[in-house]
Amino acid sequence: MRDDVQSLADPLKEANEPSSPVARFGTQTPLLMDCGIVLDSWQIAYQTYGVLNAAKSNAVLVCHALTGDQHVASRNPITGKGGWWTAMIGPGKPIDTDRFFVICANVIGGCTGTTGPASTNPATCKPWGLGFPMVTIRDMVRAQAHLVDALGIESLFCVAGGSMGGMQVLEWAASYPERVFAALPLATGARHSAQNIAFHEVGRQAVMADPDWRGGRYLEEGTRPAKGLSVARMGAHITYLSEAALHRKFGRKLQDREAPTFSFDADFQVESYLRHQGLSFVERFDANSYLYVTRAMDYFDLAADHDGVLAKAFAGTKTRFCVASFTSDWLFPTADSRAIVHALNAAGASVSFVELESDKGHDAFLLEEPNLFATTRGFLNAAARARGL
């Protein structure tokens, strides 16, 4: 066996004892959750990059998307792969770690070190499973705020993220406006659409239909709903792409064969690709966490939390915003970003908006996109000057 394979971390161990730094909280710092449950023993796993300046004014909080984690710009201990946003974060990159102190935390309900359904319930000494309280985007942000407090940071220079990460950015700006100098929500919306909820429900049902799910008790019973979670990931992955991207990459090309097999084997390259995506996902992500975090996205509706008026969420804000969308993103289309911008304008906020040309679909915010890099760099440079950095 190769050394790099031997060095990979056990996902089950990572749920409680992550390879990354972890902040632990007890009864003195409980986490009050939207569902009414109070966690009085919980932890949050995180990574940092760069150096916090003496004034503690250069901190950038990066919020991860649905199946991301804290390993935003460093090797993932479970997969051995590089960070999920190394295109954006690092020395000399748009989010410049020579200049900014970057923090990224695994969300509450996650499975790589922050308390979630795969974590051990201290009351039972067994995995939480479905006994874990339901999670919301606001809960994720509250947990992050406790971490930021623990790091001794009063005000964040910027909060940035795409997709579910963008939802967290918006929630930060609404819940802690005095703590967010600049906000960068990408490829996101202020609420989850009916179509997106429907896609998530199909994925959840695929997981729960797997006999090895065992009513969410699979960790106790030594099984794993690999087939159901793999199918859920396959379906979700299609929504992250565009027809143009799929056609460019795969078209109708056959996979390692000259003619169809006239069977249900993976004849087409796109089928083989999706199966690979599903299988690799199962190795690193907990099935119950997938249920919880997709549900958190479904529940997100920032306007509903402010009398149905999105502008009220940002009333009086002094935060600077840069909102960006992508032309081929049909999961969070430009109309969703425009709704955010209109609300920010109505609230008198400082906001810039750009719709970026790309045929890569929703995943464009994670990929090599020079226009996105230029937009991010320009926004952060201007905000840094205003901040005195």
Side-chain angles (χ1 to χ4, degrees):
M1 185 179 289
R2 301 195 321 269
D3 289 341
D4 61 338
V5 174
Q6 289 177 327
S7 67
L8 297 183
D10 178 359
L12 296 180
K13 184 178 180 182
E14 288 291 308
N16 288 298
E17 300 174 23
S19 303
S20 62
V22 59
R24 293 182 171 87
F25 301 93
T27 54
Q28 298 300 312
T29 316
L31 183 64
L32 176 61
M33 305 181 74
D34 280 350
C35 66
I37 301 296
V38 177
L39 286 182
D40 56 13
S41 179
W42 62 283
Q43 65 183 42
I44 185 166
Y46 66 98
Q47 290 280 23
T48 65
Y49 312 85
V51 178
L52 186 64
N53 63 15
K56 298 184 177 181
S57 60
N58 68 331
V60 175
L61 177 68
V62 174
C63 304
H64 70 72
L66 178 67
T67 59
D69 50 42
Q70 67 271 37
H71 307 290
V72 62
S74 52
R75 177 183 179 274
N76 186 301
I78 297 173
T79 66
K81 296 180 179 179
W84 53 266
W85 220 9
T86 52
M88 181 71 76
I89 299 170
K93 294 183 179 180
I95 301 179
D96 188 351
T97 51
D98 286 337
R99 187 179 192 185
F100 305 121
F101 178 65
V102 177
I103 310 160
C104 186
N106 187 219
V107 297
I108 195 78
C111 55
T112 53
T114 297
T115 303
S119 306
T120 300
N121 181 347
T124 65
C125 297
K126 296 178 180 180
W128 274 96
L130 296 193
F132 194 71
M134 202 59 72
V135 172
T136 66
I137 298 296
R138 189 189 288 116
D139 293 331
M140 297 174 183
V141 169
R142 284 197 192 101
Q144 292 161 1
H146 283 302
L147 171 63
V148 172
D149 287 341
L151 294 174
I153 300 168
E154 283 189 23
S155 171
L156 293 162
F157 165 60
C158 182
V159 183
S163 194
M164 187 184 83
M167 291 178 168
Q168 294 165 66
V169 173
L170 296 174
E171 186 62 61
W172 260 100
S175 294
Y176 303 99
E178 72 287 350
R179 302 191 70 173
V180 181
F181 186 80
L184 186 64
L186 308 173
T188 194
R191 65 177 181 177
H192 225 202
S193 69
Q195 176 178 261
N196 290 350
I197 294 170
F199 279 121
H200 277 172
E201 177 61 5
V202 171
R204 287 190 293 265
Q205 288 299 319
V207 171
M208 293 187 284
D210 189 321
D212 286 333
W213 183 60
R214 306 288 177 89
R217 296 183 300 275
Y218 53 88
L219 291 177
E220 288 183 57
E221 300 186 16
T223 64
R224 184 175 61 171
K227 292 179 180 178
L229 182 58
S230 179
V231 170
R233 175 62 170 180
M234 290 168 67
H237 197 74
I238 296 169
T239 71
Y240 305 150
L241 306 173
S242 68
E243 194 281 331
L246 283 169
H247 179 75
R248 181 179 63 251
K249 191 168 186 177
F250 305 109
R252 292 181 51 82
K253 298 173 189 172
L254 297 178
Q255 178 70 26
D256 299 329
R257 63 204 65 186
E258 297 297 324
T261 62
F262 295 100
S263 72
F264 292 110
D265 196 4
D267 277 1
F268 295 97
Q269 286 184 4
V270 68
E271 294 175 304
S272 179
Y273 169 75
L274 288 174
R275 292 185 186 190
H276 171 73
Q277 288 293 326
L279 291 173
S280 61
F281 181 65
V282 166
E283 296 302 318
R284 71 174 179 86
F285 210 85
D286 175 67
N288 281 340
S289 277
Y290 190 80
L291 303 183
Y292 275 79
V293 182
T294 56
R295 202 56 166 159
M297 290 186 73
D298 292 348
Y299 282 144
F300 187 64
D301 186 346
L302 196 53
D305 296 332
H306 295 84
D307 303 321
V309 181
L310 185 56
K312 287 186 177 181
F314 308 112
T317 184
K318 293 182 173 60
T319 302
R320 296 163 170 256
F321 291 83
C322 178
V323 181
S325 66
F326 297 91
T327 54
S328 59
D329 184 354
W330 56 276
L331 194 64
F332 286 96
T334 292
D336 289 356
S337 290
R338 290 191 186 279
I340 296 167
V341 173
H342 291 159
L344 289 167
N345 284 330
S350 170
V351 56
S352 57
F353 167 66
V354 60
E355 181 185 33
L356 299 168
E357 188 74 32
S358 172
D359 69 353
K360 296 175 184 175
H362 181 61
D363 265 357
F365 79 93
L366 294 170
L367 305 174
E368 293 284 346
E369 285 287 355
N371 289 338
L372 174 62
F373 297 166
T375 296
T376 301
R377 192 186 300 275
F379 174 68
L380 291 179
N381 285 343
R385 288 193 296 272
R387 179 84 156 180
L389 296 177

